[in-house]
Amino acid sequence: MGRDVIIACDFESAEKTYAFLDNFKEEKPFLKIGMELYYAEGPSIVREIKRRGHKIFLDLKLHDIPNTVKKAMAVLSNLDVDIINLHAAGTVAMMSAALEGLTRPDGSRPLLIAVTQLTSTDQISMEEDLLIKEPIADVVMHYAAKAKEAGLDGVVCSPLEASKVHERCGKDFLTVTPGVRFADNDNGDQKRVMTPAQAKEIGSDYIVVGRPITKAEDPVAAYRRCVKEFVD
Ligand code: C5P
């Protein structure tokens, strides 16, 4: 899979999701399904979106003991999604177990990527709440290196961290980056943002774009603008 734009389908119901997807007559965008939609609708929403011909990044961020994550990944693997994720904070043992669970009898599996530190966590909350005292940039890189050591395919990270992750973990280690805004857009609650063109420049493999597309007056035009800036 090459560079691509992934639309974050942060909708509360299947009905709202399909109403959004029905705008797309020519393209079949790569979609991210997160906790809100998955917990509302269950695995049937994944099957239906897959049936409609979309690639899917299932963003459920698993984090539990290795055996539980392994078994959950085995079940999720049957949904035949393209990318799935977990928290690197679960340790190398948990990440390795996840990979085992995800791998089907024929050796195939979805790509598995790790969340390092959430972008909502800052230095102060990391130190005070998690008692991690190192600089957050070092923590992110360390988690990325541990994900690579466990055999994962990449990480979710801020576009600002993507080139450093590639330096440390290799250019084939995937960087999937949210926090993307058009130059003329409102940033909403995203603090550290990049345009699709800048994300391409610094070497992101996938950008995850939600509201700039889902809340746009013309979502198809906004999606095409992202693709033009990031992929073409
Ligand atoms: O609407 P917006 O473009 O901000 O959506 C970004 C998507 O990426 C959301 O689904 C959000 O949960 C997700 N995300 C993020 N920052 C992270 C990890 C995931 O914004 N560090």
Side-chain angles (χ1 to χ4, degrees):
M1 292 197 283
R3 213 167 36 228
D4 209 349
V5 174
I6 301 178
I7 304 178
C9 284
D10 294 322
F11 298 109
E12 67 196 24
S13 68
E15 199 187 349
K16 287 191 175 153
T17 307
Y18 300 145
F20 169 73
L21 293 180
D22 287 343
N23 289 306
F24 293 86
K25 312 275 186 232
E26 289 171 32
E27 297 97 337
K28 291 279 178 203
F30 203 135
L31 304 176
K32 178 171 90 72
I33 298 177
M35 291 185 204
E36 183 186 11
L37 187 55
Y38 190 80
Y39 290 152
E41 300 290 346
S44 65
I45 185 85
V46 177
R47 292 193 191 98
E48 173 56 20
I49 288 179
K50 196 80 201 166
R51 193 194 62 73
R52 289 177 174 225
H54 298 271
K55 285 186 177 163
I56 297 174
F57 166 20
L58 191 57
D59 179 20
L60 298 181
K61 300 187 179 73
L62 276 70
H63 189 175
D64 206 319
I65 60 170
N67 187 55
T68 300
V69 170
K70 179 178 168 179
K71 290 189 163 170
M73 285 294 188
V75 172
L76 293 171
S77 190
N78 290 331
L79 289 175
D80 196 22
V81 295
D82 299 276
I83 306 179
I84 193 157
N85 65 355
L86 46 61
H87 273 283
T91 75
V92 168
M94 189 202 80
M95 291 191 272
S96 305
L99 212 50
E100 246 180 76
L102 213 51
T103 306
R104 306 179 186 110
D106 67 359
S108 67
R109 62 167 176 81
L111 293 172
L112 179 60
I113 62 176
V115 175
T116 57
Q117 281 293 344
L118 292 169
T119 45
S120 52
T121 305
D122 60 12
Q123 187 72 36
I124 293 171
S125 54
M126 199 181 66
E127 288 185 14
E128 289 186 356
D129 300 351
L130 307 179
L131 214 61
I132 300 173
K133 305 288 186 189
E134 282 75 14
I136 194 159
D138 295 356
V139 175
V140 168
M141 285 312 138
H142 180 70
Y143 282 21
K146 287 290 162 188
K148 166 116 178 153
E149 183 185 320
L152 269 65
D153 303 293
V155 287
V156 183
C157 63
S158 142
L160 299 155
E161 294 154 355
S163 56
K164 280 224 175 78
V165 168
H166 280 139
E167 266 171 42
R168 172 106 180 230
C169 301
K171 70 170 175 33
D172 294 335
F173 194 66
L174 299 173
T175 53
V176 179
T177 63
V180 173
R181 293 291 179 267
F182 294 122
D184 49 4
N185 237 194
D186 174 14
N187 289 353
D189 55 358
Q190 294 282 15
K191 295 201 174 71
R192 301 190 301 148
V193 300
M194 267 194 188
T195 66
Q198 287 167 331
K200 176 183 183 179
E201 187 75 27
I202 53 94
S204 288
D205 296 290
Y206 296 91
I207 50 172
V208 175
V209 188
R211 288 160 291 179
I213 295 175
T214 56
K215 303 267 190 237
E217 230 166 82
D218 183 345
V220 177
Y223 172 71
R224 286 181 181 156
R225 183 177 171 194
C226 273
V227 171
K228 195 165 186 309
E229 281 191 32
F230 182 68
V231 184
D232 296 345

